[in-house]
Amino acid sequence: LREPEMNAVVDEAGKAGLIPFGHIDNNIVTIQRAMDLGVRNFEHFFTLAISALKDDDAWAVVNAKYNMPRIRSTDEFAAAMSFFFGYVKDHPESHAKMEALLDRMAKEGASISTTIHILAATASKASFYSSIEYFPIRKRPHLPGCSSEQKSQIAPAFDSMMYYLKMAHDKGVKIRIGTDCRYGGKALLSELKLLHDAGFSIEDILQIACYNGYESMKLTDKYGSVEAGKKADLVIFHENPFENAEHFLSPKSIIKGGQLFQN
């Protein structure tokens, strides 16, 4: 949205008692400006680097480092989003801008969803491959415009993004799970493992997966934790993830509305 439309949305949401969530990724309105306008919940952590570089021609400066191809697939878009974080981490001025953005988000109680599986899948770091794109049908990243050198740079750039995701969490930015891709259930479990690989504790991962989203939607009176009087919607891992993060992929039992569902 442009600023006038975003202003109108935030105003109408307030009148209707709704909580606006913003997908801010083209610098038409930056995350900083969206917070000025009253937005506190955002989608897709990979959008942060573009807002951190708001005073620069973001695509131009990143392209100068990575010589990004003309984007022809969602996998190449995912690679480009990782490259932004690689650029930020390698440039002290940009790193300082990112820290300042995260500090402000933490201070103002902002939340942001993860959406890290699709970038990890493009970097060959996920437990399985999945994209938001249906065609061409594939089981591995589709990167027709990337050279061998560019492909080798994707994984380190993805690691840079995860470095900043952990920094955001440590600073107090509220992280929510949000996969935004095909096979969302499997992708969610993949994201839990990716968070563990990035140094998140199991306790924090489970809070990110459950409570934080409901807190952002102001629904913790009904959902998000196991307490008397709350909705009996539960996922029970058959093997303990506190003992081994691989157990996030273990068989599960589902309780929905107090009713047990099993295969």
Side-chain angles (χ1 to χ4, degrees), residues 6 24 29-40 42:
M6 184 172 288
I24 313 292
V29 174
T30 64
I31 287 177
Q32 295 93 321
R33 185 61 183 143
M35 286 194 288
D36 292 341
L37 299 176
V39 181
R40 291 295 178 273
F42 299 95

Side-chain angles (χ1 to χ4, degrees), residues 13-86:
K15 293 176 184 177
L18 301 174
I19 304 167
F21 284 64
H23 178 149
I24 313 292
D25 71 345
N26 285 319
N27 266 356
I28 297 170
V29 174
T30 64
I31 287 177
Q32 295 93 321
R33 185 61 183 143
M35 286 194 288
D36 292 341
L37 299 176
V39 181
R40 291 295 178 273
N41 301 294
F42 299 95
E43 301 302 330
H44 318 313
F45 189 81
F46 63 73
T47 64
L48 285 190
I50 298 176
S51 282
L53 293 168
K54 66 184 178 70
D55 297 324
D56 303 308
D57 184 344
W59 284 92
V61 297
V62 175
N63 192 51
K65 174 178 173 63
Y66 290 103
N67 191 26
M68 294 185 295
R70 178 175 63 85
I71 292 174
R72 288 177 282 183
S73 73
T74 56
D75 293 332
E76 288 183 344
F77 173 78
M81 294 301 100
S82 292
F83 287 157
F84 274 97
F85 286 91

Side-chain angles (χ1 to χ4, degrees), residues 150-218:
Q150 288 165 333
K151 290 176 182 178
S152 71
Q153 293 173 313
I154 297 172
F158 173 79
D159 291 340
S160 295
M161 187 191 73
M162 297 303 290
Y163 165 83
Y164 285 112
L165 180 62
K166 181 63 163 55
M167 179 188 289
H169 171 73
D170 291 343
K171 285 178 176 292
V173 179
K174 196 72 68 176
I175 309 297
R176 301 176 276 105
I177 285 287
T179 59
D180 196 29
C181 68
R182 299 177 67 201
Y183 311 116
K186 286 178 66 178
L188 188 150
L189 298 176
S190 169
E191 295 210 356
L192 302 188
K193 289 187 76 266
L194 289 164
L195 291 173
H196 180 264
D197 293 344
F200 287 73
S201 71
I202 300 297
E203 293 92 336
D204 288 345
I205 292 169
L206 292 174
Q207 180 167 329
I208 287 167
C210 301
Y211 188 83
N212 288 0
Y214 288 118
E215 184 178 53
S216 299
M217 294 185 287
K218 302 189 185 308

Side-chain angles (χ1 to χ4, degrees), residues 36-157:
D36 292 341
L37 299 176
V39 181
R40 291 295 178 273
N41 301 294
F42 299 95
E43 301 302 330
H44 318 313
F45 189 81
F46 63 73
T47 64
L48 285 190
I50 298 176
S51 282
L53 293 168
K54 66 184 178 70
D55 297 324
D56 303 308
D57 184 344
W59 284 92
V61 297
V62 175
N63 192 51
K65 174 178 173 63
Y66 290 103
N67 191 26
M68 294 185 295
R70 178 175 63 85
I71 292 174
R72 288 177 282 183
S73 73
T74 56
D75 293 332
E76 288 183 344
F77 173 78
M81 294 301 100
S82 292
F83 287 157
F84 274 97
F85 286 91
Y87 176 90
V88 169
K89 195 166 185 288
D90 286 347
H91 291 78
E93 289 186 7
S94 300
H95 172 84
K97 292 178 182 178
M98 175 66 81
E99 281 214 88
L101 173 56
L102 296 178
D103 285 337
R104 180 180 176 186
M105 292 178 72
K107 182 179 179 180
E108 298 189 17
S111 78
I112 191 163
S113 63
T114 48
T115 320
I116 54 178
H117 171 81
I118 53 175
L119 275 67
T122 298
S124 299
K125 290 217 161 198
S127 55
F128 76 104
Y129 174 80
S130 175
S131 168
I132 60 175
E133 195 172 53
Y134 284 83
F135 297 103
I137 298 171
R138 58 196 186 275
K139 294 184 178 180
R140 60 187 61 84
H142 179 56
L143 303 164
C146 290
S147 67
S148 296
E149 180 182 5
Q150 288 165 333
K151 290 176 182 178
S152 71
Q153 293 173 313
I154 297 172

